[in-house]
């Protein structure tokens, strides 16, 4: 495919509207942040709050809610895949400068990809780069194998300045105190609670009308909801249990929300490095006692993360066409007695109501999520009660968000609700849960999928077969095999489907994406948040 577009620009002036200072207040319920602006690290403050996307820009602006579309040209104006997605040629935009005034060139792009190739901790998508060269405004890349399933990951890569990053001792651990990107904003101030960005004087597109972005990290969903309701936060992604009464009805004219679905899921990731949770028999039994309907109605207020009902873990109707015939109509059903029977037949036993593993030890587990993520915490409480019916003693740990993120990244947890990566097909769901290529030993950070450290050679082989298939028939068979493995292994206890939504206010700013103008997903931590800000205009 070959695409081109987007015109270059320069400077611009903000209108006044109802906000003379031109400030947009953004919030996330993620608790105190540690200063880290490294744009490649999922555990950084820049990723947690989303402001990294205002500083560092992608080659192509792709969209989770329209994964079948090719994306908007950004720092790359054209791109062409060849050799069954084993080769890519990019044309890099002219006239782009870094925030320090130096020009951004194809050499910076080549350097960025080389950095990822040479630094596994930053190459979180495990892209198998081979040759990377720059000539003029063109960058040519080749890969060890087909990148059919990684097109979005490659094209949406951000670009960093070679003249600054090449001087770092260790880019994988550098917190990038003074982030310099091509985006329209620069870091102004940082505190654990609030990060402020200020607009650059010049930018390759028309300057955004938002002069200043203030990101506040609230302690929990309730605090974030209060801020949205009283107007101190104008844009957020948070769960609101009674959203009409506590948010929309506070200002029906201006308080809006839009939660478009994506092809991704949420579920309980079990750390399969820990016994006895390395046993698929136990994981299947645990899955059989989870009441997913309760999770949806009680924890997700019947709207936030829709219930996943098919045993393959694939959301429907979005993923219906991918489900193998043998699993069509096969749904999750609560079956406590069936789960107990499967366990005792496999060598587990009971001491009264307590489940004992094959060694005679009680089965216990700690379920952990950030204390402020109220829907996840409620989900864990429901799962705790469900597991008690099986004889498993579960404890719910309400963690600090920063510490939890690090612990999940390094495998220092027993079980946690988490999300999968989204994509155009269920491949990304299964890769996030089962790809041995993403495996990192406990204690090693930089994980972007397979947080449960699951290892199964057949699953990894099926993912590889799907990614490198030379025909649609071969790709379909690989997808069906992945479903069989997932149903058998249950590495993640899937509960709900994902969305890319947000709450936002039109009191001071208009131009937000919505059901009738789906130019981007509205979630403020996604790549597209920059595109959203560029569309905003002061309200009349």
């Amino acid at each position: 495919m070959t695409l081109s577009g987007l015109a270059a620009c320069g400077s611009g002036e903000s209108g006044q509207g109802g906000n003379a200072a031109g400030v947009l207040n953004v919030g996330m319920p993620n608790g105190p942040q540690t200063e880290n602006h490294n744009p490649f690290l999922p555990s950084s403050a820049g990723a947690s709050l989303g402001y990294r996307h205002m500083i560092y820009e992608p080659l192509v602006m792709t969209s989770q809610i329209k994964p079948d579309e090719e994306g908007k040209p950004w720092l790359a104006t054209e791109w062409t895949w060849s050799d069954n997605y084993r080769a890519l040629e990019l044309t890099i935009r002219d006239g782009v400068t870094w925030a320090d005034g130096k020009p951004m060139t194809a050499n910076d792009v080549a350097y960025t990809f080389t950095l990822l190739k040479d630094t596994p901790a930053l190459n979180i998508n495990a892209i198998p780069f081979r040759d990377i060269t720059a000539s003029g405004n063109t960058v040519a890349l080749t890969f060890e194998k087909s990148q059919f399933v990684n097109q979005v990951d490659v094209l949406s890569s951000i670009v960093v300045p070679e003249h600054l990053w090449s001087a770092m001792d260790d880019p994988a651990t550098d917190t990038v105190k003074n982030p310099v990107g091509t985006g329209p904003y620069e870091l102004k101030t940082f505190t654990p609670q609030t990060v402020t960005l200020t607009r650059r004087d010049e930018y390759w597109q028309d300057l955004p009308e938002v002069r200043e972005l203030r990101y506040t990290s609230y302690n929990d969903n309730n605090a974030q909801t209060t801020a949205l309701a009283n107007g101190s936060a104008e844009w957020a992604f948070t769960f609101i249990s009674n959203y009409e009464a506590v948010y929309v009805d506070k200002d029906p004219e201006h308080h809006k929300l839009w939660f478009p679905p994506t092809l991704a899921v949420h579920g309980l990731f079990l750390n399969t490095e820990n016994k006895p949770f390395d046993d698929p028999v136990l994981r299947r039994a645990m899955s059989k006692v989870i009441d997913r309907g309760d999770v949806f109605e009680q924890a997700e207020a019947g709207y936030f993360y829709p219930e996943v009902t098919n045993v393959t873990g694939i959301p429907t109707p979005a993923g219906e066409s991918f489900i193998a015939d043998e699993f069509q109509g096969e749904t999750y059903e609560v079956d406590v007695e069936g789960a107990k029977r499967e366990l005792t037949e496999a060598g587990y036993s009971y001491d009264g109501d307590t489940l004992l593993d094959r060694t005679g030890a009680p089965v216990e587990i700690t379920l952990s999520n950030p204390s402020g993520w109220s829907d996840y915490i409620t989900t864990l409480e429901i799962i705790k009660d469900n597991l008690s019916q099986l004889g498993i003693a579960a404890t719910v740990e309400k963690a600090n968000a920063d510490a939890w993120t690090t612990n999940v990244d390094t495998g220092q947890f027993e079980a946690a609700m988490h999300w999968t990566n989204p994509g155009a097909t269920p491949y990304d769901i299964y890769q996030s849960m089962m790809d041995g290529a993403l495996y990192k030993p406990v204690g090693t950070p930089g994980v972007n999928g397979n947080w449960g450290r699951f290892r199964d050679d057949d699953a990894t082989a099926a993912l590889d077969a799907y990614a490198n298939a030379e025909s649609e028939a071969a790709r379909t068979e690989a997808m069906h095999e992945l479903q069989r493995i997932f149903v058998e292994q249950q590495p993640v206890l899937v509960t709900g489907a994902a969305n890319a939504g947000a709450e936002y206010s039109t009191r001071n700013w208009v131009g937000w994406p919505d059901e009738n103008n789906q130019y981007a997903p509205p979630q403020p931590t996604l790549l597209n948040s920059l595109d959203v800000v560029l569309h905003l205009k002061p309200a009349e």
Side-chain angles (χ1 to χ4, degrees), residues 54 135 367 443:
M54 303 298 163
S135 177
L367 315 175

Side-chain angles (χ1 to χ4, degrees), residues 17-260:
N19 185 348
V23 174
L24 173 62
N25 294 290
V26 190
M28 286 295 290
N30 293 347
Q33 299 290 303
T34 300
E35 186 166 12
N36 188 332
H37 312 299
N38 193 317
F40 295 110
L41 300 180
S43 58
S44 71
S48 176
L49 302 183
Y51 64 84
R52 62 176 172 174
H53 300 304
M54 303 298 163
I55 299 172
Y56 297 97
E57 296 186 287
L59 292 163
V60 180
M61 186 68 73
T62 57
S63 172
Q64 291 187 11
I65 62 172
K66 295 185 177 181
D68 55 334
E69 293 189 357
E70 294 161 323
K72 300 176 183 178
W74 216 258
L75 295 183
T77 58
E78 298 181 358
W79 55 96
T80 304
W81 292 96
S82 58
D83 191 22
N84 192 25
Y85 296 90
R86 294 185 186 91
L88 173 65
E89 184 174 283
L90 296 154
T91 301
I92 307 306
R93 187 179 298 280
D94 291 324
V96 179
T97 60
W98 298 105
D100 62 5
K102 297 185 182 300
M104 188 279 297
T105 70
N107 289 330
D108 291 303
V109 177
Y111 167 79
T112 301
F113 283 126
T114 302
L115 175 66
L116 297 180
K117 177 184 177 181
D118 295 341
T119 316
L122 298 183
N123 188 11
I124 59 174
N125 295 305
I127 304 298
F129 297 102
R130 181 181 286 174
D131 298 322
I132 303 166
T133 58
S135 177
N137 67 342
T138 300
V139 175
L141 301 94
T142 60
F143 304 89
E144 298 290 344
K145 54 187 179 181
S146 172
Q147 295 305 289
F148 172 81
V149 297
N150 291 327
Q151 296 174 66
V152 169
D153 294 329
V154 175
L155 293 175
S156 62
S157 292
I158 60 163
V159 181
V160 297
E162 180 179 13
H163 66 280
L164 297 177
W165 281 66
S166 60
M168 294 179 182
D169 291 335
D170 183 2
T173 59
D174 199 298
T175 59
V176 194
K177 280 282 189 178
N178 298 300
V180 173
T182 61
Y185 293 94
E186 298 177 274
L187 179 67
K188 181 179 180 182
T189 60
F190 179 93
T191 72
Q193 288 75 38
T194 303
V195 182
T196 303
L197 305 186
T198 187
R199 191 181 66 183
R200 290 174 54 184
D201 293 332
E202 292 185 347
Y203 179 52
W204 63 270
Q205 300 187 67
D206 287 333
L207 279 170
E209 301 214 34
V210 176
R211 294 176 180 175
E212 187 168 282
L213 287 160
R214 295 176 187 166
Y215 289 82
T216 299
S217 191
Y218 295 91
N219 284 335
D220 53 32
N221 285 351
N222 290 334
Q224 176 67 84
T225 299
T226 299
L228 283 166
N230 65 30
S232 55
E234 301 171 273
W235 186 18
F237 172 69
T238 191
F239 169 72
I240 304 176
S241 61
N242 188 6
Y243 68 92
E244 290 185 340
V246 303
Y247 171 59
V248 175
D249 290 349
K250 299 297 183 182
D251 187 353
E253 182 182 354
H254 301 111
H255 287 180
K256 309 295 181 183
L257 70 166
W258 182 45
F259 285 85

